[in-house]
Amino acid sequence: MIARTALGATSEVIEIASNDGYLLQYFRRAGIRVLGVEPASGPASVALAKGIPTRTCYFGRDTAAMLRAEGHRPGLIVANNVLPHVPDLNDFVAGLRVLLPETGRITLEHPSLLHLIEQIQFDTIYHEHLSYFSLATAETIFRAHALRVFDADELPTHGGSLRLHVCHEAASPMPSPALDRLRRCEAAARLHQAETYRDFRERVAAKRAAIRDFLVTARRAGKSVLAYGAPAKGNTLLNYYGVTRELIPFTVDRNPHKQGLLLPGTHLPIRDPAAFLAATPDYVFILPWNLKDEIIAQLPEVRAWGGQFVVPAPVLSIVS
């Protein structure tokens, strides 16, 4: 991202939804002036304590106009995993247009609709996300505000994400080969046709039937199944599958703030991983499936007692 946006010539980086300043601290260490815009006072206060200048407010036209009036001219605006949460897309993107200098660049990351559909990632759909974007949809929104996507990276995060590189409509960068390739992939996947989404609904239902069948069969065979992790996507998945404590007695999570609580809807207890190791389950059902490689590597004990890992995405797979 740094090379792509020529940060060597940048006087300032502004991050929208900057959280506790984790990303901006590295730009600051490189001698680049930074500013965070973070609506949540808790993370904003942590950033300020680190010495990261931060405004505690939401971003839109008014905030952009205020920052521009103060003299801010960011060479780079970063907005990672923000756009899906925005209720007023036009106000947000108009703010980007107001704040961005003619030679500036914007990078935005968000989950990929193409990956969501192809990999049957229905559990990544949850209440905090108001929108899900294909490249074509994002380009339409930016074009309406005289901005243009000139490059796109496909990332592995969140089961598949896009990083879009955006500039002013009349700016010099030509569309990259990666951008043209992604446009062709989306067209081939027919993301613009309603039939694609009807087919997605059917594949989601088939996936539910397959995993329900696995859990019920395992229980009847006297095999134990415990879950690993307590992510937001896990709640969507377990509730849609109709999982009860008879099928999965509990889950574990390394985050101490989640331990001792219950998963919403299913009421599965969340315990310390020590309880999981003591139980030696036959199957470990990985809820944060996007981290499956990392989790499997962290649990060599499972293989030692002959256990197996269950990965629910894109379809049910058993890893010995």
Side-chain angles (χ1 to χ4, degrees):
M1 181 174 70
I2 292 177
R4 198 76 57 85
T5 50
L7 285 186
T10 294
S11 60
E12 184 178 31
V13 173
I14 292 180
E15 183 181 11
I16 301 168
S18 53
N19 205 281
D20 63 358
Y22 184 84
L23 176 61
L24 289 180
Q25 67 184 332
Y26 295 103
F27 289 108
R28 187 169 178 269
R29 288 177 192 174
I32 298 170
R33 191 159 56 98
V34 300
L35 176 68
V37 178
E38 170 55 51
S41 58
S45 64
V46 175
L48 288 167
K50 292 179 182 178
I52 306 296
T54 304
R55 301 294 177 85
T56 308
C57 59
Y58 286 96
F59 183 82
R61 285 186 183 91
D62 292 344
T63 298
M66 175 188 69
L67 294 176
R68 188 172 179 87
E70 292 174 1
H72 292 278
R73 299 292 186 273
L76 175 64
I77 300 174
V78 179
N80 292 339
N81 295 300
V82 181
L83 205 59
H85 298 258
V86 173
D88 189 340
L89 290 170
N90 283 308
D91 180 61
F92 184 88
V93 178
L96 294 176
R97 176 67 176 81
V98 168
L99 185 58
L100 188 71
E102 292 302 319
T103 57
R105 302 290 182 264
I106 306 166
T107 62
L108 307 97
E109 293 180 17
H110 56 76
S112 165
L113 179 63
L114 179 62
H115 282 90
L116 189 157
I117 296 295
E118 290 185 335
Q119 301 295 316
I120 324 177
Q121 297 171 355
F122 74 92
D123 51 334
T124 62
I125 300 172
Y126 60 101
H127 71 285
E128 290 184 2
H129 288 173
L130 304 177
S131 307
Y132 294 83
F133 295 95
S134 64
L135 169 63
T137 302
E139 288 194 292
T140 299
I141 295 168
F142 290 120
R143 193 180 303 117
H145 294 276
L147 296 170
R148 175 171 59 85
V149 179
F150 67 89
D151 199 0
D153 302 314
E154 294 188 80
L155 310 174
T157 51
H158 303 294
S161 295
L162 296 180
R163 177 188 293 139
L164 304 182
H165 300 256
V166 177
C167 62
H168 279 277
E169 194 171 52
S172 59
M174 297 295 292
S176 71
L179 182 66
D180 289 336
R181 183 170 57 252
L182 183 55
R183 285 170 176 163
R184 292 194 298 271
C185 286
E186 288 195 350
R190 303 185 305 165
L191 293 187
H192 59 293
Q193 296 183 8
E195 183 59 33
T196 298
Y197 302 93
R198 286 191 286 267
D199 176 66
F200 176 69
R201 179 181 61 193
E202 294 172 1
R203 290 190 295 138
V204 169
K207 180 175 175 178
R208 179 186 190 274
I211 292 182
R212 281 281 307 179
D213 181 66
F214 163 76
L215 292 172
V216 171
T217 300
R219 179 173 176 269
R220 288 174 178 169
K223 301 290 187 179
S224 57
V225 182
L226 293 179
Y228 191 95
K233 63 168 64 70
N235 293 322
T236 301
L237 184 148
L238 293 173
N239 279 285
Y240 177 65
Y241 290 166
V243 171
T244 64
R245 292 175 65 172
E246 290 182 339
L247 297 175
I248 299 180
F250 64 87
T251 189
V252 299
D253 198 282
R254 297 173 69 184
N255 184 343
H257 299 291
K258 295 183 179 182
Q259 294 166 13
L261 303 177
L262 302 176
L263 291 182
T266 59
H267 293 172
L268 267 62
I270 306 171
R271 298 178 181 172
D272 184 281
F276 162 85
L277 296 175
T280 62
D282 297 298
Y283 295 104
V284 180
F285 196 102
I286 299 177
L287 294 177
W289 43 260
N290 54 308
L291 303 176
K292 63 181 177 63
D293 293 336
E294 177 183 336
I295 291 169
I296 291 172
Q298 289 174 353
L299 297 171
E301 301 92 340
V302 174
R303 286 195 173 97
W305 69 60
Q308 296 177 297
F309 296 93
V310 181
V311 182
V315 294
L316 175 70
S317 61
I318 308 295
V319 181
S320 300

